């Protein structure tokens, strides 16, 4: 078979959650939150990180479908996954919910990944491995992990058989299939009354299903004890943001750097107060969480920002960073100007920037230099600033 060209994920979130109702306060497990978002959205986020993916189908309980359609739209507005999606109603059984999801697939879809929202920690690399396995002409590919315990078949309390452990595997989702054999398997299951617990057991009756190594962390939230996994701390990684800004001399704005007025300095052309250093710093902070640049948030065409205090704008950017889970830990700042002399103001600028960032002064560095009378600043036409910000960002 040809390489999958239009894979779509069907995310099953249609369970009633009755087995865990006491432990969750009646909230179905697919709606439980981790790192600020519902479990089903964690799975959607994972699929969106696979370049080959072309769409998502969410399956919710019939009574929740309209409400959850609005919730998916809200989540996607806040964090655009870059994939088209559909929301459909589930059925009485798992296989009925999958069949409803298949009916909502785009006609271009050639590959389907069926995934349980109760497995929120599957990785993008696992999805890629499943799609790669389908390249080898298998009709289906599933994640499987070795069974660590000896398994026995029993009737009542009597052991009737000890199974060969080396031949046993515990399987997970997502499970990947070429669309045609999966749809045919569901058609046969409906016509012939098959009762199954996963989609692979259907497709196995029609063709070959292969396995890829599963992931120990790809656990299913099934019992009250599993809820402890949702209490684990999110991961923290170090990130860096870079900022640059420039302003022309000769304007009417008095020169301010890092929120500190520079007496006798050249006037600045600017829409806001023209603090080139805080503008570069704000851009660097935005860079720590992919927040764009200050021009997109505070455009110079907006009269509301006429003469705006850059310290206030910086605080707004810091709030954005906080909401994105980024904590600023260090800033290294440089101003490039032939004039005025900034050495007398260096300590005050450093102190004020540290205050604005809520950092000890030892975590803020400030430097000033010239370009040896070369170029834009060397000819005293303007001033530049660059900023490098280090931060710790929290991720699910």
């Amino acid at each position: 078979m040809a390489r999958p060209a239009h894979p779509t994920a069907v995310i099953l979130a249609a369970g009633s959650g009755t087995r865990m109702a006491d432990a969750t306060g009646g909230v179905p497990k697919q709606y439980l939150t981790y790192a600020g978002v519902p479990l089903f959205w964690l799975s959607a986020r994972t699929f969106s990180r696979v370049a080959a993916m072309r769409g998502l189908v969410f399956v919710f309980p019939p009574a929740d479908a309209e409400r959850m359609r609005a919730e998916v739209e809200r989540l996607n507005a806040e964090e655009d996954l870059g994939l088209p999606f559909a929301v459909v109603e589930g059925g009485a059984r798992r296989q009925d919910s999958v069949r409803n999801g298949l009916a909502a697939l785009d006609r271009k879809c050639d590959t389907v990944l069926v995934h349980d929202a109760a497995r929120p920690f599957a990785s993008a690399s696992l999805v890629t491995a499943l799609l790669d396995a389908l390249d080898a002409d298998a009709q289906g590919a599933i994640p499987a992990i070795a069974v660590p315990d000896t398994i026995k078949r029993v009737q009542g309390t009597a052991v009737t058989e000890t199974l060969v452990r080396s031949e046993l595997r515990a399987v997970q989702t997502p499970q990947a299939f070429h669309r045609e054999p999966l749809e045919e398997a569901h058609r046969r299951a409906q016509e012939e009354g098959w009762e199954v617990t996963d989609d692979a057991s259907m497709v196995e009756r029609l063709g070959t299903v292969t396995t890829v190594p599963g992931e120990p962390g790809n656990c299913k939230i099934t019992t009250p004890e599993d809820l402890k996994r949702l209490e684990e701390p999110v991961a923290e990684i170090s990130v860096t943001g870079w900022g640059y800004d420039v302003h022309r001399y000769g304007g009417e704005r008095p020169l301010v750097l890092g929120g500190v007025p520079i007496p006798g300095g050249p006037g600045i052309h600017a829409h806001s107060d023209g603090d080139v250093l805080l503008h570069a710093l704000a851009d660097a902070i935005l860079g720590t969480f992919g927040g764009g640049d200050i021009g997109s948030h505070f455009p110079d065409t907006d009269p509301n920002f006429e003469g705006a205090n850059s310290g206030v704008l910086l605080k707004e950017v810091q709030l954005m960073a906080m909401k994105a889970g980024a904590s600023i830990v260090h800033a290294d700042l440089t101003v490039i100007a032939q004039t005025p002399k900034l050495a007398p103001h260096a300590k005050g600028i450093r102190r004020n920037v540290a205050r604005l960032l809520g950092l000890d002064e030892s975590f803020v560095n400030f430097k000033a230099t010239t370009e040896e009378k070369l170029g834009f600043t060397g000819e005293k036409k303007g001033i530049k600033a660059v900023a490098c910000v280090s931060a710790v960002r929290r991720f699910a």
Side-chain angles (χ1 to χ4, degrees), residues 87-325:
V87 174
V88 301
E89 297 181 2
R93 302 169 298 176
R94 183 186 188 280
Q95 64 200 71
D96 299 324
S97 293
V98 175
R99 188 172 64 253
N100 291 353
L102 295 178
L105 294 175
D106 184 275
R107 61 181 180 80
K108 295 180 181 178
C109 172
D110 61 356
T111 307
V112 185
L113 292 116
V114 181
H115 184 56
D116 296 323
R119 290 187 186 270
F121 303 122
S123 72
S125 60
L126 178 59
V127 176
T128 300
L130 290 164
L131 294 176
D132 288 343
L134 289 181
D135 289 345
D137 289 341
Q139 291 179 319
I142 61 175
I145 57 176
V147 177
D149 301 317
T150 297
I151 306 296
K152 296 182 182 289
R153 192 188 308 276
V154 298
Q155 289 185 350
T157 58
V159 174
T160 60
E161 182 184 4
T162 298
L163 303 179
V164 180
R165 187 172 62 183
S166 62
E167 298 177 355
L168 301 176
R169 295 292 183 271
V171 301
Q172 305 172 330
T173 68
Q175 298 183 350
F177 306 94
H178 291 290
R179 179 177 179 173
E180 290 185 7
L182 180 60
E183 289 183 328
E184 173 63 15
H186 272 273
R187 185 188 66 78
R188 290 271 303 275
Q190 189 174 21
E191 290 180 354
E192 300 174 19
W194 301 352
E195 292 285 343
V196 299
T197 56
D198 73 349
D199 297 273
S201 57
M202 290 185 185
V203 177
E204 288 161 18
R205 304 190 188 194
L206 307 180
T208 301
V209 174
T210 190
T211 64
V212 303
E215 298 174 332
N218 183 20
C219 57
K220 189 173 184 180
I221 307 301
T222 305
T223 67
E225 290 73 23
D226 294 330
L227 295 176
K228 295 178 181 178
R229 298 180 183 273
L230 303 182
E231 299 172 0
E232 295 175 358
V234 296
E236 293 186 344
I237 66 169
S238 297
V239 293
T240 302
W242 174 258
Y244 171 87
D245 197 35
V246 58
H247 282 299
R248 289 188 295 118
Y249 287 155
E252 297 180 354
R253 305 284 188 204
L255 182 61
V256 178
L257 291 173
V260 176
I262 308 298
I268 294 290
H269 283 285
H271 183 65
S272 65
D273 65 3
D275 192 328
V276 68
L277 183 59
L278 292 189
H279 293 177
L281 177 57
D283 267 353
I285 293 174
L286 288 166
T288 64
F289 62 95
D293 58 57
I294 58 172
S296 62
H297 297 285
F298 315 110
D300 59 12
T301 55
D302 190 334
N304 291 322
F305 303 120
E306 175 75 25
N309 185 318
S310 293
V312 174
L313 303 185
L314 182 70
K315 285 297 182 184
E316 290 295 320
V317 169
Q318 288 176 269
L319 286 173
M320 296 177 203
M322 186 182 302
K323 290 178 181 179

